[in-house]
Amino acid sequence: MSTLHTLRPQAETPATALQQLIARDQLVAHFQPIVHLGSGAVYGHEALIRGPAGSSLEFPDALFAAGRAEGLTVELEVRCAMRALRDWGPQGLSGKLLVNMSADALSRAVHDMGLERTLLHFSSCGVLPENVLIELTEHERVPDLDALKRAIAVLRKHKVGIALDDFGDGRSSLRLWSEIQPDLVKIDKYFTRNVHAQPEKLQTFRALLQLAETLGSRLVAEGIESADELRVLRDLGISYGQGWLLGRPAAEGLAHAPEAAQQVLASADIAVLPELRRASGSGVLAAHLCTQLPTVGTATTNEQLYRIFSKDERLHALALVDEEQRPIALVDRSQFIARWAKPFFNDLYGRHSCSLFANHAPLIVEGDTGIEELTSVLTSPDQRYLSEGFIVTRGGCYLGLGTGQQLVRSVTEARIEAARHANPLTFLPGNIPISQHIDRLLASGREFVAAYADLNQFKPFNDHYGYWRGDEMIRLVARALALHCDPQRDFVGHVGGDDFVVLFQSSDWESRCEAIVNSFNERALSLFDEAALQAGGIMAEDRHGDMRFHPCTTLCIGAVRIRSGTLSRSEDVASAAASAKREAKHGAHKVYVMEG
């Protein structure tokens, strides 16, 4: 292998700990596997460098901090790369080797240190250049993008690949991704953590998949630590994964992924994607609804306030704040102008503080308050909030004012959007995501159970007690289903009215159905009055308009086993489940099971 020219400063002072470490060749390489999420095969390994065990430079943060402090960054990074190659070659494992280098160090190494000649001798380490990817780190500040692109061109001439590390960590550059078009883009572990339970992270991965397809890159999800995370990322179509579940860093690489990871990747079970089992909401916060309007203090007089309102007609209200910008009251424009127009108001109150007639109990909300929490304003007995608006704060300090008109419009838009994919009463997934999940189950080829839940004697109950209590009974069904289903394996959807669908992958689905019915039937009694409980039901009109006795409302479930290859369309599955439900109702069964 060719000799590397170092950039070590020439000095008379004693060698530092880092200089001694480099001179004695004491760097140590560990390798963490990267696994193909489709096949479960090990795609390659990332080389992670450590200093001598037990020393102050053992861990990477201290090691590279010392390199920056002593001006040895480029030499250190190149030495780390050479160490990785030397330790990797003898292991004889197939797959790629990912070697970390910063954008600045890579540019300087290629152009100033003869790295191009070094690459020609990779074979002396038993590593072919086409099996190496340079993983760009610390790419938030690229001092010379053109120099980096020239360096990458040199590497690619020798078939060395490029990866972009930790994309999305707050420092990464979308422009850099577009400019260098890396082979791999590694997504920061923040987005992987709990992706199975956080719809916004799942949507981020979907957006990055589209971007990767556009720019010709493949994604690596970093930080995979649980089976649920792995299953979701596999089902999303993420190419590769890295994390402790797939293998921890070690001196020896892995020929195969760990057994626990292989079981997840080989399983026919599909993930219940988070945005499909609960409404993710519109993402609108109170801060999005507010306008940054000026404020006044208690020293402002009514006469001065009138002049402020007169000069700016867009001011529907003004907040009164203290010296620390904390809101203490709100003055509604229309109410104030109405008072001002009364005879002698200016003479009597013009020089008084404007706080005299202000609302000292305004609605104050933090900027990160969600739109759903603000809907209570629409039904509040105090309708001043709709006319005068509300104050929005950040950390308790004034941020701006929101109007009732903005709130009504945003709530309406959010409800319309949510209703497209989720039932507005229970916020469970509606018909579209139910069909999408059935299609995913059919495509997976695994056996599952489609269960249709429906209420007996619900219409008489709803007519007798009113739709408010009827809605509460429907929500009670939703709670019983959520309580007894596995949220990671069983999909719960709300078709509409009192009709619900559960798509079971849990092997104990029959006992879960029994528990759902028993739980609901017991709790539903609390919605009847004492007379109905003593009688065992209510007198109400039937569907023909005749008064008759109806027993207390109960739940029944019709279930059908969907075996691999028996059905191919989601509507056929839905029809089969509906048939099982009819049998359950007509036969007075709690749970009726039908073969698909």
Side-chain angles (χ1 to χ4, degrees):
M1 182 170 293
S2 63
T3 302
L4 293 172
H5 303 288
T6 70
L7 298 182
R8 181 180 300 167
Q10 300 298 318
E12 299 294 333
T13 57
T16 65
L18 178 60
Q19 291 171 339
Q20 292 178 16
L21 181 153
I22 293 175
R24 295 169 183 172
D25 198 16
Q26 292 179 312
L27 295 170
V28 179
H30 286 72
F31 303 96
Q32 185 173 24
I34 297 170
V35 175
H36 188 276
L37 301 189
S39 66
V42 175
Y43 166 79
H45 288 75
E46 178 185 359
L48 302 168
I49 303 298
R50 305 285 187 268
S55 72
S56 61
L57 300 179
E58 176 180 1
F59 298 106
D61 288 348
L63 186 64
F64 288 98
R68 288 190 293 270
E70 298 177 29
L72 296 174
T73 299
V74 175
E75 179 176 0
L76 177 60
E77 291 195 33
V78 173
R79 294 288 184 135
C80 288
M82 296 303 102
R83 178 79 269 168
L85 289 166
R86 289 199 298 272
D87 289 353
W88 178 251
Q91 297 194 31
L93 292 174
S94 60
K96 305 290 186 179
L97 175 65
L98 279 71
V99 178
N100 291 292
M101 293 191 78
S102 67
D104 183 39
L106 178 63
S107 299
R108 293 175 58 192
V110 170
H111 298 302
D112 302 338
M113 301 180 63
L115 187 58
E116 180 179 7
R117 294 190 303 275
T118 302
L119 294 174
L120 296 174
H121 298 281
F122 272 13
S123 57
S124 65
C125 296
V127 182
L128 297 176
E130 56 263 35
N131 288 334
V132 176
L133 286 91
I134 302 298
E135 187 173 328
L136 291 178
T137 63
E138 299 183 8
H139 40 71
E140 74 279 15
R141 292 183 299 274
V142 178
D144 190 340
L145 182 58
D146 290 336
L148 175 62
K149 291 167 69 174
R150 288 194 298 271
I152 290 174
V154 170
L155 294 171
R156 284 189 165 138
K157 186 169 65 175
H158 294 284
K159 301 182 180 179
V160 176
I162 297 294
L164 196 58
D165 187 32
D166 289 336
F167 189 84
D169 68 349
R171 304 174 302 169
S172 52
S173 167
L174 181 58
R175 178 189 171 186
L176 185 63
W177 183 352
S178 177
E179 290 272 7
I180 68 174
Q181 297 191 357
D183 303 277
L184 295 181
V185 175
K186 301 180 75 176
I187 306 304
D188 186 70
K189 61 186 178 182
Y190 164 81
F191 295 101
T192 296
R193 189 179 302 116
N194 293 324
V195 66
H196 60 283
Q198 298 186 21
E200 65 278 4
K201 291 184 178 181
L202 181 138
Q203 294 298 343
T204 299
F205 268 109
R206 281 182 166 158
L208 291 172
L209 277 169
Q210 293 181 342
L211 186 60
E213 182 177 358
T214 300
L215 298 177
S217 304
R218 289 164 295 167
L219 300 184
V220 181
E222 296 185 300
I224 300 175
E225 297 185 4
S226 74
D228 292 330
E229 293 168 350
L230 180 58
R231 187 176 292 109
V232 165
L233 294 167
R234 178 202 65 178
D235 289 359
L236 280 178
I238 304 299
S239 298
Y240 305 106
Q242 185 177 10
W244 285 3
L245 182 66
L246 300 170
R248 296 185 178 231
E252 302 292 329
L254 295 181
H256 306 285
E259 180 64 26
Q262 290 189 44
Q263 289 180 359
V264 175
L265 295 176
S267 170
D269 287 357
I270 68 168
V272 179
L273 303 181
E275 89 281 16
L276 296 183
R277 68 171 184 271
R278 64 171 68 90
S280 61
S282 64
V284 176
L285 304 177
H288 301 150
L289 303 180
C290 79
T291 303
Q292 293 182 341
L293 299 180
T295 61
V296 293
T298 55
T300 302
T301 66
N302 285 314
E303 186 173 5
Q304 291 171 329
L305 183 61
Y306 174 74
R307 292 172 183 168
I308 294 173
F309 278 133
S310 298
K311 289 180 180 178
D312 193 344
E313 294 184 357
R314 70 191 179 101
L315 300 178
H316 70 278
L318 280 173
L320 275 71
V321 298
D322 60 18
E323 294 179 353
E324 297 179 349
Q325 291 297 300
R326 296 184 180 277
I328 54 178
L330 185 66
V331 181
D332 178 71
R333 177 195 185 95
S334 59
Q335 294 181 30
F336 177 81
I337 296 298
R339 286 193 178 96
W340 183 268
K342 291 181 179 180
F344 309 115
F345 181 89
N346 187 22
D347 295 332
L348 293 173
Y349 303 110
R351 296 184 181 182
H352 287 263
S353 170
C354 64
S355 66
L356 184 63
F357 298 104
N359 176 10
H360 288 268
L363 176 63
I364 301 176
V365 297
E366 273 290 304
D368 59 359
T369 302
I371 189 71
E372 289 302 323
E373 296 179 62
L374 288 172
T375 55
S376 60
V377 176
L378 302 181
T379 56
S380 170
D382 191 345
Q383 292 297 292
R384 287 181 302 172
Y385 299 147
L386 290 180
S387 59
E388 70 182 24
F390 51 93
I391 300 173
V392 183
T393 59
R394 177 162 291 155
C397 295
Y398 175 82
L399 182 64
L401 295 182
T403 67
Q405 183 181 15
Q406 289 171 310
L407 179 58
V408 170
R409 182 172 63 250
S410 296
V411 168
T412 302
E413 291 173 351
R415 290 293 172 83
I416 291 174
E417 179 62 25
R420 295 178 59 199
H421 292 277
N423 187 283
L425 178 60
T426 61
F427 294 105
L428 288 171
N431 291 337
I432 292 176
I434 290 172
S435 297
Q436 291 174 340
H437 193 78
I438 293 175
D439 288 337
R440 293 178 60 227
L441 284 166
L442 293 173
S444 74
R446 65 114 51 226
E447 180 179 314
F448 65 98
V449 172
Y452 202 126
D454 190 20
L455 291 175
N456 300 311
Q457 309 297 337
F458 175 66
K459 185 179 184 303
F461 173 90
N462 199 50
D463 291 343
H464 183 77
Y465 288 106
Y467 67 90
W468 282 105
R469 201 176 293 190
D471 285 352
E472 181 56 33
M473 181 165 280
I474 290 174
R475 283 192 286 264
L476 186 59
V477 178
R479 289 195 290 271
L481 292 169
L483 180 64
H484 296 287
C485 291
D486 182 344
Q488 305 305 327
R489 296 169 61 82
D490 307 324
F491 179 100
V492 179
H494 189 175
V495 177
D498 59 333
D499 294 331
F500 292 80
V501 167
V502 184
L503 304 169
F504 284 106
Q505 294 182 89
S506 295
S507 58
D508 58 346
W509 60 270
E510 286 188 87
S511 62
R512 290 179 184 271
C513 287
E514 293 283 352
I516 290 166
V517 171
N518 293 335
S519 173
F520 172 84
N521 290 348
E522 178 181 347
R523 298 185 183 191
L525 295 176
S526 65
L527 298 178
F528 289 85
D529 56 34
E530 187 61 31
L533 291 176
Q534 291 182 2
I538 57 176
M539 292 296 297
E541 289 186 354
D542 61 16
R543 295 184 183 277
H544 303 290
D546 299 325
M547 291 294 294
R548 68 177 184 85
F549 181 78
H550 299 271
C552 291
T553 307
T554 57
L555 182 69
C556 68
I557 295 178
V560 56
R561 292 186 180 92
I562 308 298
R563 304 190 186 279
S564 178
T566 56
L567 298 175
S568 59
R569 301 187 308 167
S570 60
E571 51 263 44
D572 295 335
V573 173
S575 296
S579 297
K581 182 259 296 187
R582 286 192 294 271
E583 292 293 336
K585 289 181 74 72
H586 296 157
H589 301 287
K590 285 185 176 181
V591 179
Y592 178 83
V593 181
M594 185 174 75
E595 294 295 328

